[in-house]
Amino acid sequence: MLRHTLEELQVSGLEKIQQAATRDELERARVELLGRKGSLAQISKQLPSLPPEERAQVGYLLNTLKETLERAYQERKAQLEELELRQRLEREWVDLTLPAAGPRPGSLHPITQVQQELEDLFISMGFTVLSGPEVETEYNNFDALNIPPEHPARDMQDTFWVEGGFLLRTHTSPVQIRGMQQLGLPLRMVAPGRVFRNEEVDAAHEHTFYQLEGMMIDRDVSVAHLIYFMKTMLSAIYHQEVTIRLRPGYFPFVEPGFELDVRCLICGGRGCPVCKYVGWSEQLGCGLVHPNVLRMSGIDPDEWNGFAFGLGLTRLAMMRYGIDDIRWLQSGDLRFLQQF
Ligand code: DAH
């Protein structure tokens, strides 16, 4: 009787195992057949009630069946595992020949871009690029530029003072003094850099901004040289031939001193909102180096002279890229920076 049951169980058990389509199904079949409460376990419970000679026989058959089913289970399990692996490999196929995504490219700050372009231009014209310290001596920032103590020109630039006769430079002009000391004559230098003024911040004013200083000293330098270099520089910046004009301007370290304007690039001089209907837009301060400045740095003004200029790099970047609020430039906002 029991033997018959065992034969049936072998047939149905093997079928269940071999037809299991997934690992879960197979596991259920295993529990059902070979588990602690499974079919085989139920049958072995009946063994003690059998007559001894039959008990041995049925016990033997039971063991054989258990081994058969276990082997079938292991085989099916291996098959299913391999199948699953194959399916997964198909699903998760990776094209190793595709180029990698790579790091996200960064970009240079708009002021840095304008600055580097100008450095390259001036280097190509024989100028040296200098950088001076942002914490300067009062002497270099003012006195050596012909702005003595008590001179009203000091009030034109609201200064952040530091202890011990130092200050945050209010312009890049003190690098002129360092250039005259370091470079020897004749000299051609530019000095880009960060400057600081104690200003109320609004859309047009920052306490921290950038300038580019320039200076050329040689024999017989004239306003004609100044005009030539300024025109070359501005044409390069705006990628077109520009028309410039000089107006008298007061800076203690130059004589004569000028404000230099460019004919409005938007309206060509007829007048428009960008140039506030003037037809010209103010670009920089410049002039012929004051004899006192040369003399204070040990240069004989009867033998040498030169021109100097100071350009607002921040303002230039704003005009070139149409940035309408100076505060964007130091916001650190990536939405702004990623546009350049
Ligand atoms: N240092 C001046 C300023 O910040 C700009 C300037 C004017 C620089 C005339 C010069 C110059 O070298 O010749 O307002």
Side-chain angles (χ1 to χ4, degrees):
M1 230 354 253
L2 211 47
R3 177 190 305 221
H4 187 62
T5 313
L6 287 176
E7 275 165 12
E8 273 181 8
L9 192 58
Q10 169 154 348
V11 174
S12 66
L14 282 177
E15 198 175 17
K16 243 184 217 145
I17 288 173
Q18 280 155 4
Q19 287 181 359
T22 65
R23 297 259 300 269
D24 280 350
E25 245 177 85
L26 180 63
E27 180 58 17
R28 273 199 297 278
R30 187 192 67 79
V31 170
E32 206 177 294
L33 295 163
L34 296 158
R36 263 193 302 134
K37 293 176 185 164
S39 312
L40 288 191
Q42 302 295 337
I43 294 171
S44 29
K45 269 192 214 152
Q46 300 175 28
L47 279 183
S49 59
L50 292 179
E53 64 290 352
E54 211 176 319
R55 193 188 303 164
Q57 247 183 27
V58 173
Y60 172 74
L61 287 176
L62 201 61
N63 261 341
T64 319
L65 176 56
K66 192 173 163 200
E67 276 165 23
T68 307
L69 292 177
E70 253 162 17
R71 208 177 313 119
Y73 165 78
Q74 292 299 347
E75 268 167 31
R76 186 63 187 152
K77 190 171 148 204
Q79 281 173 1
L80 287 176
E81 275 170 1
E82 202 193 305
L83 187 74
E84 261 173 41
L85 181 65
R86 227 178 307 128
Q87 287 171 343
R88 215 181 103 195
L89 286 179
E90 246 163 66
R91 224 180 21 247
E92 297 181 1
W93 186 77
V94 172
D95 184 353
L96 293 176
T97 66
L98 279 178
R104 202 183 66 195
S107 57
L108 293 175
H109 191 282
I111 292 179
T112 308
Q113 291 187 29
V114 173
Q115 176 184 327
Q116 291 185 350
E117 236 174 79
L118 285 173
E119 286 177 8
D120 289 346
L121 174 71
F122 277 103
I123 287 169
S124 79
M125 299 192 291
F127 284 66
T128 301
V129 179
L130 279 188
S131 71
E134 291 170 354
V135 176
E136 253 299 2
T137 60
E138 180 180 356
Y139 177 79
N140 283 348
N141 195 86
F142 290 126
D143 303 71
L145 288 164
N146 200 30
I147 315 173
E150 316 305 331
H151 193 287
R154 290 205 179 193
D155 301 334
M156 286 159 47
Q157 304 183 348
D158 286 323
T159 307
F160 287 116
W161 290 95
V162 182
E163 282 173 11
F166 292 97
L167 46 74
L168 299 187
R169 66 178 176 190
T170 56
H171 50 180
T172 43
S173 302
V175 192
Q176 290 184 19
I177 310 304
R178 294 173 177 273
M180 287 186 280
Q181 282 162 6
Q182 284 169 32
L183 296 177
L185 298 175
L187 79 80
R188 296 181 183 197
M189 54 156 279
V190 287
R194 193 150 60 150
V195 303
F196 310 86
R197 286 185 203 175
N198 195 351
E199 300 253 15
E200 205 72 59
V201 174
D202 62 27
H205 300 91
E206 258 286 13
H207 47 70
T208 302
F209 53 100
Y210 289 77
Q211 290 186 333
L212 179 97
E213 194 76 15
M215 183 182 228
M216 169 167 158
I217 299 181
D218 209 320
R219 299 175 200 274
D220 302 318
V221 175
S222 70
V223 173
H225 294 106
L226 171 64
I227 290 174
Y228 167 78
F229 280 102
M230 295 302 96
K231 229 187 123 155
T232 304
M233 169 174 77
L234 293 165
S235 298
I237 289 170
Y238 293 115
H239 301 300
Q240 57 186 286
E241 188 78 9
V242 295
T243 307
I244 63 171
R245 76 172 182 190
L246 297 178
R247 284 179 290 117
Y250 175 66
F251 305 97
F253 32 94
V254 281
E255 179 58 38
F258 307 106
E259 305 265 5
L260 188 148
D261 302 335
V262 160
R263 178 170 279 155
C264 180
L265 300 168
I266 308 295
C267 64
R270 280 186 306 280
C272 70
V274 172
C275 61
K276 302 205 179 75
Y277 301 97
V278 183
W280 296 87
S281 99
E282 198 178 311
Q283 301 288 313
L284 54 92
C286 57
L288 295 185
V289 181
H290 196 290
N292 287 350
V293 172
L294 295 172
R295 220 174 277 125
M296 274 185 276
S297 286
I299 296 172
D300 179 0
D302 292 328
E303 205 181 330
W304 303 93
N305 67 341
F307 68 74
F309 66 92
L311 172 91
L313 274 184
T314 302
R315 230 171 70 91
L316 193 72
M318 288 175 72
M319 284 195 282
R320 169 134 138 205
Y321 296 110
I323 299 164
D324 59 4
D325 191 320
I326 195 171
R327 290 168 290 194
W328 279 116
L329 291 163
Q330 294 193 104
S331 64
D333 192 326
L334 288 179
R335 293 170 306 171
F336 169 74
L337 293 171
Q338 277 164 351
Q339 300 174 77
F340 302 97

